[in-house]
Each structure stands twice: as C-alpha cells, then as structure tokens.
Amino acid sequence: MKNLPQKIRSKKLSTRIDLTAMVSVSFLLIIFFMVVGELSKPKVMEYATGQDRGCCDCPPRHSGENRSITVMLGENNKLIYYMGILNSPIISPKEVKYGKEGIRKELLARKKTVLEYSAKLGKPSQGITVIIKPTKKSNYGNLVDILDEMKITGITSYAIIPEFTPEETKLLASN
C-alpha cells in the first residue's frame, strides 16, 4: 500500500477568558453611578416667609434684603444700583460710574458692611449677593465690565437677570 499522507491535527488549546477589562469597566460604572446619585440629591435653600417681621411702620429687614444689591445697566453707559428692595431700599438708587472710583468702591464698601453684619448674626460665611440687570439697550461691554468688577472685588455670588419690575423700568426711564 501506498503511504497515505497522515492528517496533521492541530493541537487544541484550552480556552481561557481574561476578565480583567470587564472588572475594570464594572468598577468604573459603579463609581459613576455613585457620583451621579450623590450629585442629583436636591439642595435646600432657606426661604424667608416674612412672618418674622415686627409690627412697626418700617418693616424690619431680612438678612437676604441686607445682603442683596441690584445693579441695573442702562443705555449710554448708565449704571444704577440700590440695596434691598426697591419699594423700601436700604440704600436708595444711585447712579454711579464704572471703574475704580465708581461701582468698585461701592461694592467693596457694601461687601465689608455685609460681612460685618453677617458676623454679628453668627453667619460669617454669608457675603453679598449682586443681582445684575442689563437692559436691552445696554451694550455687551457694560456687562463684561460689571462682571470684571465682580471678579476684582471677589464677589462670587451674583446673578444676571434680564427681567425688570415696573418700578425699575420707571427708575431707569427717569434717570
């Protein structure tokens, strides 16, 4: 008989699955969901209802009123600020200039008095809150200038709100 070529059989290797990557991915997913769960918890903010006001002609101030300054940006580089609520302001509306001797000087002075006031109340970490209200007629440069003033004065709590009350609209029109 002829020599038939023998079939060469391949050597069977044992199958082994490396699960290292799967373990790493699962730990990353666990950490991700833990962080997302922690960050999605609701935050609580103190809400003043007005029930702690006294009974006199001039209503006492809330700490939130004492801490808030509203800065309104008008046309032709007009800048008006007041402290508290416009109906009964702590500091009446004043028109000031941009820069070192204008709004910066006022913000630094108000920041100092608010920090002293908060320390007396036992809340030394509560600083000033600035509400920036640009009108449609104010220019972008004015908004950038007031944001620069926030950075220079170290005020970290501010908001840009484009809505105006009727009283504020009258105030801007009259000045």
Side-chain angles (χ1 to χ4, degrees):
M1 284 216 212
K2 282 187 174 178
N3 259 344
L4 293 174
Q6 292 183 351
K7 273 189 175 179
I8 300 174
R9 293 198 169 180
S10 62
K11 187 176 180 183
K12 291 199 175 192
L13 299 173
S14 63
T15 57
R16 185 170 169 258
I17 299 173
D18 187 15
L19 294 176
T20 319
M22 181 76 84
V23 171
S24 297
V25 168
S26 62
F27 277 117
L28 284 173
L29 285 172
I30 290 170
I31 291 170
F32 171 76
F33 286 117
M34 287 173 59
V35 170
V36 167
E38 189 64 33
L39 292 177
S40 66
K41 289 183 181 174
K43 306 292 185 254
V44 177
M45 186 170 78
E46 186 178 323
Y47 179 69
T49 60
Q51 293 179 353
D52 56 343
R53 289 185 180 234
C55 55
C56 65
D57 295 337
C58 169
R61 307 291 181 191
H62 288 286
S63 61
E65 291 177 35
N66 288 333
R67 293 179 40 230
S68 69
I69 290 183
T70 303
V71 176
M72 297 183 294
L73 311 176
E75 62 182 322
N76 299 328
N77 298 327
K78 185 187 288 187
L79 177 67
I80 299 174
Y81 87 96
Y82 63 90
M83 189 165 185
I85 298 174
L86 188 57
N87 294 338
S88 59
I90 296 168
I91 296 176
S92 298
K94 294 181 185 176
E95 186 170 348
V96 293
K97 301 286 183 200
Y98 290 91
K100 185 177 179 180
E101 292 301 317
I103 190 67
R104 186 180 312 163
K105 183 178 177 182
E106 295 293 329
L107 288 173
L108 288 171
R110 303 300 160 230
K111 179 181 174 185
K112 181 180 175 188
T113 56
V114 166
L115 287 174
E116 290 171 358
Y117 175 78
S118 296
K120 287 179 185 175
L121 292 177
K123 301 175 182 179
S125 64
Q126 287 188 343
I128 196 167
T129 301
V130 179
I131 302 167
I132 303 168
K133 293 189 170 189
T135 61
K136 291 181 180 180
K137 295 181 180 179
S138 66
N139 63 33
Y140 181 73
N142 291 344
L143 182 60
V144 171
D145 289 344
I146 199 69
L147 291 175
D148 286 343
E149 295 298 335
M150 296 298 115
K151 181 73 174 173
I152 291 168
T153 57
I155 296 173
T156 57
S157 179
Y158 58 89
I160 301 172
I161 302 173
E163 290 94 25
F164 286 86
T165 63
E167 294 87 11
E168 289 172 334
T169 306
K170 288 177 188 174
L171 178 66
L172 277 170
S174 67
N175 284 344

